[in-house]
Amino acid sequence: MNESLTQKIRKDFDRIALHDQEGWDHNNHYHRFLLKQLPARCGTVLDIGCGTGEFSRLIAQRAKRAIAIDLSSNMVEVAKQRSSQYANIDFQVGDILQWEFPVEQFDAIVSIATFHHLPVESLLPHLKSALKPGGRLAILDLLEYESWQDSLSDLIAVPLNWGFQMLKNRHIKSSPEAAAAMREHLRTDRYLTLSQARRIYSKSMKGASIRKHLFWRYSVVWEKS
């Protein structure tokens, strides 16, 4: 990733963090699914792109230690404020592409809606090396449709999205500033298709489970032998 794009992503999420309101979204809809993919007992878990720390806090309830990294200092500041009761979360501001991965130190590595910002093929070897034998990698990311068959899932996703928004986010008042910040960020986002994800992850991680989900998401789960 070039430096100018990294700076833009950092700036976008610094701005988005200022308007964040806790509520239901397409990512935390799959938190329960992701937790089920983690080992029953975790020593140390790495959360890449932790944002405001919502999933990091869930990890901290079952792991001895969570290391949560995000590019945005504002996101990490919000995460720290909301996680003051969790002494076992180590929030760090940093670029994961510049991070020095320890060898075989993590029982699990997780990431939500972050990998489309990263050069996945060059990052995966570092993640594999950093996992302990038996460690799990669990990724949830956004998906680009590649055929008209893919769009058929919208027949379910769109009304479900509307229903969940009405049911779960009634307490949230829409913010023009938040909407504008997200629109600006999404303008430059690019996602993998399911075929591309299967090719990339299967090539690097034999036996990886790659699944398509509702709400324009896919998941990758892999266990290191």
Side-chain angles (χ1 to χ4, degrees), residues 7 17-18 30 33 35 49 71 75 88-89 100 105 107 132 134 163 169 171 182 196 216 222:
Q7 293 295 337
L18 298 177
Y30 291 104
F33 164 80
L35 283 174
L71 188 64
M75 283 287 183
N88 60 335
I89 306 178
E100 292 190 14
Q105 291 297 306
D107 297 280
K132 296 178 181 178
N169 291 342
H171 65 288
M182 184 57 71
Q196 290 171 330
W216 310 277
W222 178 74

Side-chain angles (χ1 to χ4, degrees), residues 4-5 14 17 46 52 61 63 69 73 76-77 80 83 91 99 112 148 165 176 185 196 203-204 212 215-216 219:
S4 61
L5 182 56
D14 277 346
L46 175 64
T52 58
Q61 295 173 24
I69 299 177
S73 59
V76 170
E77 183 58 35
K80 288 180 177 179
S83 310
F91 286 108
W99 204 61
I112 300 175
W148 65 268
Q165 293 285 357
H185 174 66
Q196 290 171 330
K203 179 181 177 181
S204 182
K212 178 184 175 183
F215 304 126
W216 310 277
S219 66

Side-chain angles (χ1 to χ4, degrees), residues 212-224:
K212 178 184 175 183
H213 298 270
L214 282 177
F215 304 126
W216 310 277
R217 297 297 185 272
Y218 74 92
S219 66
V220 180
V221 178
W222 178 74
E223 182 174 318
K224 183 175 180 177

Side-chain angles (χ1 to χ4, degrees), residues 24-37 111-113 137-145 149-158 160-161 164 192-195 197-198 208-222:
W24 177 87
D25 60 37
H26 299 153
N27 295 321
N28 62 29
H29 181 79
Y30 291 104
H31 280 181
R32 183 180 298 179
F33 164 80
L34 290 170
L35 283 174
K36 289 180 179 179
Q37 313 310 314
S111 184
I112 300 175
L137 175 66
I139 298 165
L140 183 79
D141 204 22
L142 287 79
L143 188 68
E144 180 72 32
Y145 288 166
Q149 289 95 335
D150 287 337
S151 63
L152 289 177
S153 62
D154 283 353
L155 297 176
I156 300 174
V158 171
L160 274 179
N161 175 64
F164 278 123
L192 296 177
T193 65
L194 189 61
S195 294
R198 283 174 171 160
S209 173
I210 301 128
R211 293 177 50 188
K212 178 184 175 183
H213 298 270
L214 282 177
F215 304 126
W216 310 277
R217 297 297 185 272
Y218 74 92
S219 66
V220 180
V221 178
W222 178 74

Side-chain angles (χ1 to χ4, degrees), residues 59-151:
I59 293 170
Q61 295 173 24
R62 63 189 299 175
K64 291 183 179 179
R65 184 186 183 210
I67 299 176
I69 299 177
D70 201 277
L71 188 64
S72 164
S73 59
N74 286 357
M75 283 287 183
V76 170
E77 183 58 35
V78 173
K80 288 180 177 179
Q81 292 172 6
R82 294 179 181 176
S83 310
S84 57
Q85 70 273 37
Y86 293 96
N88 60 335
I89 306 178
D90 176 13
F91 286 108
Q92 300 180 15
V93 179
D95 182 350
I96 198 64
L97 299 179
Q98 305 298 324
W99 204 61
E100 292 190 14
F101 285 91
V103 176
E104 295 189 353
Q105 291 297 306
F106 297 110
D107 297 280
I109 298 175
V110 300
S111 184
I112 300 175
T114 298
F115 269 46
H116 61 279
H117 296 304
L118 301 171
V120 177
E121 290 178 279
S122 60
L123 180 61
L124 287 179
H126 297 287
L127 304 185
K128 292 169 62 178
S129 175
L131 282 171
K132 296 178 181 178
R136 293 279 188 92
L137 175 66
I139 298 165
L140 183 79
D141 204 22
L142 287 79
L143 188 68
E144 180 72 32
Y145 288 166
E146 57 188 322
S147 69
W148 65 268
Q149 289 95 335
D150 287 337
S151 63

